[in-house]
Structures are given as structure tokens and as C-alpha cells.
């Protein structure tokens, strides 16, 4: 008589284990959709094969598919992927950081820059926006407020690592 409850409890654990296994198998087989929390490994490069970023030797990038914190081309590329799937996506500038805008290049008095600043140094303007020092001259210097990848086609090798329901923390 005492064995029956133990047997029922063991069956309960087995059933629970089957349910967890079945739900994870379903998650791996489903396609990523807007609103899903996803994580990917990626390597981003330019058309000349220069790598500008990678998650290699780091945690995968985690984000909510369809949120506005990621470039549209990446969202479009991941949408519809399944866990374990890998692919290469090419993202035109319009779906990445936009075209390069000459109007975002401007002169400032060199005396307003930090001492010893050189061309190629990234700075923040008074509003907190990132600018790149293009030229430093005695009187005036040239700053560029375009994103460093503006005007470029981006190529990403991506692998979908996981999909889960619900939002994640914002992409970084």
C-alpha cells in the first residue's frame, strides 16, 4: 500500500520531466518572432572583410526581437531563424546606421577640445553624442558626428543560440 504513492510520485516526476523536455524541444523547433527574447553569437565585418565587432569569447548578444534598440537589418535577419541555425546576412546602410551625412562634419575652435587630442580620437559633445576628431589644426579642428559605421554595408555571420518568451534587457 505504501508503494502506490511512491510510484505515483515517481510517475509525476517522469511526467514533469517529459513536459520540460517537450517544451524545450518545441522552443528549439519554433522560429524567432517579434517579442521573443533571443540570444545570438555574431561576427560583424565590412565588405573588405575587416571585422568591426564579434561576440567570440564573450556572452552572446541578448535582445528582444523587434525592439528599437537594434538596427533594423539585424532584427530582419534574425526573425524566422530557429535555435542552432547559422547564416550570413548583408545589411545595407539604410537598414544599419544610414548614409554618411556631410552635414554632420563641422569645425570647432581647437582651444575647445581637450589638450593633446589627436585625429581619430572619439569624444562626446556637450549633449552626450559621440563625435570623432577628423583633423586637428592650430586654430580650428574638424569633428564628425556620423556613426562610425554610417554609409557602410555590414555583413554579419550569426548563430541563434536561444529563444524564449518575453522581453530581455535592452541590447548593448
Amino acid at each position: 500500500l505504501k508503494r502506490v504513492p511512491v510510484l505515483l510520485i515517481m510517475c509525476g516526476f517522469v511526467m514533469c520531466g517529459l513536459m520540460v523536455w517537450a517544451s524545450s524541444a518545441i522552443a528549439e523547433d519554433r522560429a524567432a518572432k517579434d517579442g521573443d527574447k533571443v540570444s545570438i553569437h555574431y561576427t560583424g565585418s565590412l565588405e573588405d572583410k575587416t571585422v568591426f565587432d564579434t561576440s567570440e569569447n564573450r556572452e552572446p548578444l541578448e535582445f528582444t526581437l523587434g525592439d528599437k534598440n537594434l538596427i533594423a537589418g539585424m532584427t530582419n535577419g534574425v526573425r524566422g531563424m530557429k535555435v542552432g541555425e547559422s547564416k550570413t546576412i548583408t545589411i545595407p546602410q539604410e537598414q544599419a546606421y544610414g548614409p554618411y551625412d556631410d552635414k554632420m562634419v563641422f569645425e570647432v575652435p581647437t582651444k575647445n577640445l581637450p589638450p593633446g587630442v589627436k585625429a581619430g580620437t572619439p569624444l562626446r559633445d556637450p549633449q552626450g553624442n559621440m563625435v570623432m576628431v577628423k583633423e586637428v589644426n592650430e586654430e580650428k579642428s574638424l569633428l564628425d558626428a556620423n556613426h562610425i559605421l554610417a554609409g557602410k554595408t555590414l555583413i554579419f555571420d550569426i548563430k541563434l543560440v536561444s529563444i524564449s518568451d518575453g522581453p530581455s534587457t535592452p541590447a548593448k
Side-chain angles (χ1 to χ4, degrees):
L1 196 64
K2 288 187 178 180
R3 291 186 184 188
V4 172
V6 172
L7 185 58
L8 288 175
I9 291 171
M10 288 178 63
C11 287
F13 284 133
V14 170
M15 288 301 291
C16 191
L18 286 173
M19 289 171 53
V20 169
W21 176 82
S23 66
S24 66
I26 290 168
E28 289 178 7
D29 193 45
R30 73 180 175 104
K33 64 184 183 330
D34 285 351
D36 285 341
K37 177 178 163 182
V38 298
S39 62
I40 62 169
H41 273 298
Y42 68 92
T43 297
S45 59
L46 303 175
E47 290 177 299
D48 68 0
K49 309 281 189 241
T50 301
V51 172
F52 60 83
D53 195 13
T54 184
S55 65
E56 189 174 321
N57 299 319
R58 296 191 321 226
E59 291 295 314
L61 174 67
E62 185 177 281
F63 58 96
T64 300
L65 196 57
D67 72 8
K68 302 297 182 202
N69 293 322
L70 212 60
I71 58 174
M74 180 63 79
T75 296
N76 295 337
V78 173
R79 190 180 292 118
M81 288 181 71
K82 294 180 180 181
V83 171
E85 184 178 350
S86 296
K87 68 179 178 179
T88 300
I89 56 175
T90 300
I91 303 175
Q93 63 183 357
E94 297 80 16
Q95 291 185 19
Y97 296 98
Y100 188 85
D101 185 352
D102 290 325
K103 294 178 195 147
M104 294 183 73
V105 178
F106 55 95
E107 286 186 338
V108 296
T110 300
K111 67 181 181 180
N112 292 356
L113 297 178
V117 73
K118 295 178 172 40
T121 303
L123 299 173
R124 292 216 179 263
D125 70 11
Q127 292 76 35
N129 301 310
M130 185 66 72
V131 296
M132 184 65 70
V133 178
K134 288 189 72 140
E135 292 177 16
V136 178
N137 298 306
E138 207 169 304
E139 295 292 317
K140 300 240 179 219
S141 293
L142 201 59
L143 302 182
D144 185 350
N146 283 287
H147 188 282
I148 195 165
L149 296 173
K152 302 195 184 311
T153 297
L154 309 181
I155 301 161
F156 284 93
D157 293 316
I158 57 176
K159 179 177 183 176
L160 185 58
V161 176
S162 69
I163 301 172
S164 60
D165 293 326
S168 68
T169 54
K172 296 176 183 164

